[in-house]
Amino acid sequence: MEEKDLVICRCEEVTSNQILGAIRAGYISLSEIKRRTTAGMGLCQGRTCSKIIASMIANELKINLGDIQQCSVRPPIKPVEIGLFEGKYTGPDDEMDQEV
Amino acid sequence: MEKFITDITVIGGGVIGCSIAYHLAKEGGEVVVLEEETVASGASGRNAGGVRKQGRNIHEFPFAIESANRFLCLNDELGLELEYRRHGNVQIAFNENQMETLRDVLNRQEKWGFCESKLLDRKEVEGMVPLLSLDGVVGGIYCPTDGHINPFLLNFGFAEKAKSLGAKIQSHSPVKKILLSESGERVIGVSGEGFEIRSNWVINATGIHARQLSKTIGCDVPIQPVTVEMVVTEPLPPILKPYVMGTQSFGCRQTMKGNLLFIYSGPTKVMDSQTVSEENFKRRIGLLSLMFKKLKSFSVIRSWAGCHDLSEDRLPIIHFYEKPKGYVIAAGFSGHGMALSPAFGESVSETLLKGKATLSLEHFSLSRFGDMDYNQFGKGRKYLSTAAKGKAL
């Protein structure tokens, strides 16, 4: 894979060499790799690439795929249009004032 | 049991801990960073990345200036593209009261000789933030030499450079105990599951955890966690240059990849959760659709929450204890840590290694709180009292 620098995270255009570089620099979890390279931060939120990245970590560290911690899932599960939430704003949080 | 000896132990691998470690290692300090999870996994890893000088408190101001100067050459220094952009900082007023506060900020800064900020009228705000629905906007202030940075890369940059200079950074190593000498006069190290480290200095840079950890050796600090929530949109073409701050403790910026990042600080309920509740998610995006009507057809792809360490007066707490000697608190950054990390990291390092820093940390010691009862902080009164705010300004 090193000879061919493949795109692993298509949403963020992160390549295999970038990910391998991060793993070899000591970033050995999905969340670390995400913050360091942005792989998994895009439109699909890692739905496609996180499995490949997990295998790359497992391969590189010679550990079981099952031992790799999954990245946390945060809402929304799939992209939602901002316009759907019109009228949902119920006023400011109490007791906080603006910081300047 | 892994046992070793070092000169300085830093607890916390966030941007403050790593900046301190980098500046120490650069000057030949022997330093170990212990991080309970991984580098940039706490507040530094859930950060918006605003970098500003305008609107700073008088004591923080020199640190903001110094940090802004440092950011200009930090890519070369750390060997990493940190995505620092001097695209300005805009603060928006939505009523006459807020506008008056912003005018005061400008007058105050001009008295300090800082004249880079200027007033914006409604039309100029529109020019700077073209997506904003102008209902209710009165005006704002703008500082062109402020901007934003990729907060994760800044944190990783400090950590990686510190490592290459000989610092040791240990992930997944939560500190359970700060060890004191028999008399309790000084610190002698730290311990956790499977490790014990002997050191002359112990620096507590654990953000929201600083208080709890500090209390285990009887040193209370007036810090409380406050939740910040973020939502991020799909990538858009470049449309927003400055970092924008507005009412309801609301902020936004566009990342280098094009995503719009919105930050809301403010729920008074302290949450441990790192996930935005369904109710808040609807409210936050509801506000977004109100303020940015032109964004309606774009999508939100992710939301998350985090906590930052709010100090009583919203200023960092940097305290070198006399007893136990060798113990240092560097926490309570109140959401200002990322932007001020280069200058504060350097000053803590200088104070520790040379006994004196170019930018004095004197004002940031705990003595500014006098004999205040730290347990009263945040209880039975407005979250930030008018008195505390007056002091902060």
Side-chain angles (χ1 to χ4, degrees):
Chain A
M1 259 210 292
E2 272 160 289
E3 296 81 34
K4 274 189 187 167
D5 197 12
L6 304 171
V7 173
I8 302 292
C9 169
R10 285 185 296 178
C11 306
E12 294 282 308
E13 293 179 348
V14 184
T15 68
S16 52
N17 280 353
Q18 285 173 285
I19 291 164
L20 275 174
I23 299 170
R24 286 170 191 168
Y27 300 102
I28 53 168
S29 67
L30 287 168
S31 59
E32 283 172 287
I33 290 170
K34 178 168 153 188
R35 288 193 179 105
R36 184 65 179 80
T37 69
T38 75
M41 267 187 193
L43 214 54
C44 89
Q45 291 291 301
R47 226 169 264 112
T48 315
C49 65
S50 64
K51 290 188 189 83
I52 307 172
I53 298 170
S55 327
M56 289 171 79
I57 299 171
N59 262 335
E60 203 50 35
L61 303 180
K62 310 266 181 290
I63 55 174
N64 285 329
L65 195 55
D67 292 337
I68 291 164
Q69 207 189 345
Q70 288 304 303
C71 234
S72 42
V73 178
R74 309 277 186 223
I77 302 292
K78 62 170 194 170
V80 287
E81 265 185 37
I82 291 165
L84 291 173
F85 295 86
E86 258 189 302
K88 297 287 184 197
Y89 179 61
T90 51
D93 294 309
D94 52 333
E95 294 189 4
M96 274 303 276
D97 46 8
Q98 187 193 8
E99 180 185 9
V100 284
Chain B
M1 169 86 73
E2 191 189 354
K3 278 191 179 186
F4 56 92
I5 299 172
T6 183
D7 186 29
I8 308 147
T9 305
V10 177
I11 317 172
V15 74
I16 296 300
C18 289
S19 174
I20 292 172
Y22 160 66
H23 286 95
L24 284 168
K26 199 170 84 166
E27 295 304 317
E30 190 192 12
V31 53
V32 173
V33 180
L34 298 170
E35 160 57 43
E36 72 167 335
E37 288 179 35
T38 55
V39 168
S41 58
S44 300
R46 312 166 180 281
N47 203 282
V51 173
R52 68 183 164 91
K53 292 169 288 195
Q54 76 172 359
R56 289 284 177 207
N57 162 287
I58 189 165
H59 301 288
E60 266 185 346
F61 186 66
F63 288 83
I65 296 272
E66 170 65 11
S67 294
N69 292 337
R70 290 285 306 281
F71 281 129
L72 285 176
C73 41
L74 215 52
N75 281 353
D76 292 337
E77 203 178 317
L78 301 180
L80 193 64
E81 162 59 49
L82 303 170
E83 299 175 6
Y84 173 58
R85 295 294 182 272
R86 283 200 162 187
H87 285 174
N89 176 282
V90 175
Q91 301 190 13
I92 301 170
F94 289 84
N95 58 46
E96 212 26 72
N97 267 351
Q98 289 174 357
M99 200 58 219
E100 200 47 47
T101 313
L102 293 182
R103 278 190 207 105
D104 287 347
V105 167
L106 242 62
N107 291 336
R108 190 172 84 207
Q109 289 179 171
E110 277 166 18
K111 277 187 203 137
W112 308 338
F114 181 73
C115 303
E116 288 176 27
S117 294
K118 62 166 195 159
L119 280 175
L120 300 178
D121 61 26
R122 205 180 134 93
K123 198 81 198 148
E124 288 166 316
V125 171
E126 191 181 15
M128 296 271 171
V129 195
L131 297 169
L132 189 67
S133 312
L134 283 181
D135 319 345
V137 171
V138 178
I141 56 174
Y142 171 62
C143 176
T145 53
D146 287 342
H148 41 81
I149 197 162
N150 182 321
F152 315 142
L153 293 182
L154 178 60
N155 199 161
F156 290 132
F158 279 134
E160 287 170 16
K161 193 68 187 177
K163 256 202 238 173
S164 76
L165 292 167
K168 194 170 170 176
I169 298 186
Q170 250 179 238
S171 297
H172 305 291
S173 306
V175 168
K176 297 281 183 229
K177 252 182 166 173
I178 296 169
L179 308 171
L180 300 180
S181 62
E182 236 168 82
S183 62
E185 290 292 323
R186 58 170 306 117
V187 291
I188 54 166
V190 298
S191 70
E193 210 167 291
F195 67 89
E196 188 179 303
I197 295 173
R198 292 292 169 130
S199 63
N200 300 315
W201 296 91
V202 173
I203 302 176
N204 180 346
T206 58
I208 56 163
H209 308 294
R211 184 175 201 176
Q212 206 181 1
L213 187 61
S214 214
K215 273 183 169 178
T216 61
I217 53 164
C219 302
D220 197 7
V221 277
I223 291 174
Q224 278 210 332
V226 59
T227 309
V228 174
E229 292 169 328
M230 309 254 241
V231 299
V232 64
T233 70
E234 61 185 306
L236 274 68
I239 36 164
L240 181 66
K241 287 194 115 180
Y243 189 101
V244 181
M245 295 164 72
T247 185
Q248 282 103 19
S249 295
F250 166 90
C252 77
R253 76 169 173 106
Q254 187 167 27
T255 67
M256 299 303 295
K257 296 226 173 181
N259 312 74
L260 287 171
L261 188 63
F262 294 90
I263 172 168
Y264 310 85
S265 94
T268 46
K269 272 178 241 142
V270 172
M271 293 195 305
D272 291 326
S273 166
Q274 297 171 344
T275 306
V276 179
S277 69
E278 192 183 332
E279 183 201 340
N280 271 3
F281 185 84
K282 287 178 183 161
R283 290 177 58 220
R284 300 311 187 197
I285 309 199
L287 178 62
L288 199 56
S289 70
L290 206 67
M291 290 176 74
F292 295 87
K293 295 200 173 89
K294 292 163 198 156
L295 281 180
K296 259 181 219 170
S297 59
F298 291 96
S299 289
V300 164
I301 60 171
R302 187 175 165 90
S303 67
W304 67 94
C307 285
H308 66 228
D309 43 344
L310 191 73
S311 79
E312 166 65 13
D313 55 4
R314 289 190 169 188
L315 291 180
I317 296 172
I318 314 285
H319 192 83
F320 286 71
Y321 282 83
E322 279 305 317
K323 191 191 166 191
K325 214 167 173 45
Y327 184 53
V328 184
I329 282 275
F333 276 78
S334 310
H336 307 170
M338 199 55 71
L340 304 176
S341 59
F344 271 102
E346 183 164 32
S347 289
V348 169
S349 163
E350 284 178 340
T351 308
L352 195 148
L353 296 174
K354 299 175 193 158
K356 202 174 181 303
T358 319
L359 286 180
S360 168
L361 293 168
E362 208 181 315
H363 181 81
F364 299 97
S365 87
L366 280 168
S367 60
R368 70 184 190 263
F369 300 114
D371 50 9
M372 189 188 103
D373 179 2
Y374 296 167
N375 290 321
Q376 291 309 307
F377 175 33
K379 265 189 196 162
R381 60 184 171 89
K382 281 268 196 186
Y383 202 79
L384 186 72
S385 71
T386 324
K389 192 170 182 188
K391 212 163 98 188
L393 295 175

